[in-house]
Amino acid sequence: MSWQQRIEQQLAQRRADDSFRVRQANERGSGRLLISNGRRYLNFSSNDYLGLSLHPGIIRAWQKGAEQYGVGSGGSGHVTGYSRAHQQLEEALSGWLGYPRALLFISGFAANQAVITALAQKQDRILADRLSHASLLEAAMLSPAQLRRFAHNDVRALEKLLAAACEGQQLVITEGVFSMDGDQAPLGAIAAAARARGGWLLVDDAHGIGVAGEEGRGSCHQLRVKPDLLIVTFGKAFGVSGAAVLCSDEVADYLLQFARHLIYSTAMPPAQACALSAALEAIRHGDEQRARLRDNIAAFRRGAARLPLGLIDSQTAIQPLIVGENARTLGLAARLRERGFWLTAIRPPTVPVGSARLRVTLTAEHTREDVDALLEALHDETRE
Ligand SMILES: *Cc1c(COP(=O)(O)O)cnc(C)c1O
């Protein structure tokens, strides 16, 4: 089969499965209102949980940073790309989260790949929750270590895997809040299981940071767990993009030697680091937004319990409604869109076959009327 034939065949397969993905260029994609082709939609699919992507103070911090430093960093952090703005952000993050060090990455995807592939070696074993984000599983598969997945949030299954003989080191990987189901990991029990076998724990808290815990310090702080490696990302509650790993001095020094994404890639623009420092301040003082988000989650769950759709046991901003078949999920999303609601249909392979869903994400920017309007539309569209 030629390149051309193989690609055409795989595209045809995706179309036949109703899982062909297309993008849409919008006038605005984040915040409460999404604007597309001149039409406004209530946006229930953004990860901008606190509405910070449009925060005037953060926008100004980015503008001022660009005036001071220029728009680009000019190189890898090991050459000339590391600035005072980066250093200040790293220090603020490590102090806030209670770690000796923080290292910045351009994205959560890059951070996970860099950290896991730099640490894991041939004799090692990586034990990852089955529902871990694609960037974590992909990193584990790229590393020379052996990857074993354990059943979602199943500490017994994890303990069994940890107990098997391993010549190298063991690394346990999970998330604070799972991105497709919105449920939380039992981090205390997972950390204890890893520690009992001398393994390390990596927690990716992309959806917990900024939202959970005191001052938004995230899932680990909320559950009083301190993983050896904590990944936080800035594309969700921070409203910007980028990521950081929080770790010990030794691990930070090690990553600066061996994490290829830090050595062979242009550093984040300093102006973005300025914006992220401003976003961090907004998050620390974001109790009001977090309370509004909590109220919206509670109101949505009360109403959604009466819908003929599967509601997952999630207490977070991610509230998936399980529909089942791809075609039915797409149809429902399309009808809601006609009514002015922007929701994403999530299909396999992102989620298991037969569990296609509408992924509702709530934010602090939604009003109570927005949530009620969505519930009413869902009710109408799912009536037999
Ligand atoms: C979004 C997400 C990532 C990727 O982060 P980016 O900064 O968007 O690359 C990694 N892990 C989890 C759990 C995520 O939800």
Side-chain angles (χ1 to χ4, degrees):
M1 203 187 289
S2 70
W3 276 108
Q4 188 68 21
Q5 287 166 329
R6 192 166 79 193
I7 288 167
E8 281 170 7
Q9 188 196 48
Q10 292 180 4
L11 290 175
Q13 186 63 50
R14 277 284 168 101
R15 288 196 177 90
D17 295 343
D18 287 317
S19 62
F20 192 77
R21 296 160 197 251
V22 289
R23 297 175 306 168
Q24 174 116 18
N26 297 321
E27 284 93 85
R28 173 175 284 175
S30 67
R32 173 177 168 259
L33 293 175
L34 181 148
I35 309 173
S36 181
N37 283 323
R39 185 170 170 198
R40 293 162 164 250
Y41 298 83
L42 275 177
N43 186 1
F44 283 101
S45 52
S46 139
N47 297 320
D48 183 14
Y49 298 125
L50 304 179
L52 297 188
S53 74
L54 296 167
H55 187 290
I58 300 172
I59 294 170
R60 259 199 313 280
W62 196 317
Q63 288 166 335
K64 279 179 63 184
E67 279 157 20
Q68 184 177 346
Y69 292 99
V71 290
S73 66
S76 145
H78 283 281
V79 187
T80 55
Y82 187 61
S83 69
R84 292 287 304 162
H86 294 95
Q87 186 180 40
Q88 279 164 14
L89 174 59
E90 287 180 346
E91 287 173 3
L93 286 166
S94 57
W96 183 52
L97 295 170
Y99 280 81
R101 296 278 284 279
L103 292 179
L104 300 175
F105 289 84
I106 54 162
S107 72
F109 203 105
N112 284 337
Q113 214 172 74
V115 170
I116 293 167
T117 59
L119 286 170
Q121 296 178 6
K122 194 153 182 268
Q123 311 293 332
D124 299 342
R125 188 190 289 143
I126 296 173
L127 306 172
D129 188 290
R130 185 168 283 287
L131 296 191
S132 296
H133 190 262
S135 59
L136 294 164
L137 294 175
E138 177 131 335
M141 285 188 290
L142 282 175
S143 85
Q146 183 193 23
L147 167 65
R148 301 295 304 274
R149 299 164 211 231
F150 58 92
H152 178 49
N153 280 346
D154 187 339
V155 182
R156 281 278 174 76
L158 170 62
E159 282 169 341
K160 237 190 216 157
L161 292 175
L162 279 163
C166 174
E167 284 177 47
Q169 303 301 317
Q170 304 206 81
L171 178 65
V172 176
I173 293 180
T174 190
E175 297 183 18
V177 174
F178 284 85
S179 51
M180 289 303 134
D181 287 30
D183 57 340
Q184 293 163 287
L187 291 177
I190 288 176
R195 195 170 313 114
R197 295 287 175 177
W200 271 10
L201 173 63
L202 179 154
V203 174
D204 176 344
D205 202 23
H207 295 277
I209 196 72
V211 181
E214 189 195 339
E215 278 191 9
R217 286 189 177 97
S219 311
C220 297
H221 195 263
Q222 182 182 33
L223 298 174
R224 306 270 176 270
V225 168
K226 195 141 180 208
D228 305 280
L229 302 149
L230 169 63
I231 308 281
V232 297
T233 73
F234 306 134
K236 279 116 190 181
F238 274 72
V240 188
S241 78
V245 56
L246 284 297
C247 59
S248 68
D249 278 315
E250 293 75 19
V251 170
D253 286 341
Y254 177 91
L255 291 173
L256 284 169
Q257 316 310 311
F258 298 109
R260 306 170 74 79
H261 299 65
L262 290 177
I263 303 166
Y264 299 106
S265 185
T266 303
M268 160 193 300
Q272 184 179 338
C274 295
L276 285 167
S277 289
L280 174 55
E281 277 310 297
I283 281 177
R284 295 187 62 179
H285 298 100
D287 282 346
E288 213 179 289
Q289 286 100 318
R290 280 184 287 274
R292 279 211 304 276
L293 175 58
R294 265 198 306 278
D295 290 347
N296 284 339
I297 294 167
F300 178 80
R301 286 190 65 79
R302 276 196 303 276
R306 292 193 285 272
L307 295 170
L309 297 172
L311 186 61
I312 282 184
D313 183 22
S314 156
Q315 304 306 318
T316 68
I318 302 166
Q319 292 290 332
L321 295 169
I322 311 285
V323 182
E325 289 164 5
N326 288 359
R328 185 170 173 235
T329 312
L330 288 172
L332 192 49
R335 289 198 302 282
L336 288 163
R337 192 158 297 180
E338 279 165 29
R339 296 176 67 143
F341 300 93
W342 197 281
L343 297 174
T344 319
I346 309 272
R347 290 158 286 164
T350 307
V351 294
V353 174
S355 75
R357 63 199 64 187
L358 289 178
R359 185 167 173 276
V360 177
T361 52
L362 299 160
T363 74
E365 294 288 288
H366 292 123
T367 65
R368 187 55 189 279
E369 290 71 36
D370 295 343
V371 175
D372 288 345
L374 172 65
L375 286 166
E376 196 182 309
L378 279 164
H379 195 79
D380 285 354
E381 294 298 340
T382 54
R383 223 195 310 259
E384 284 311 310

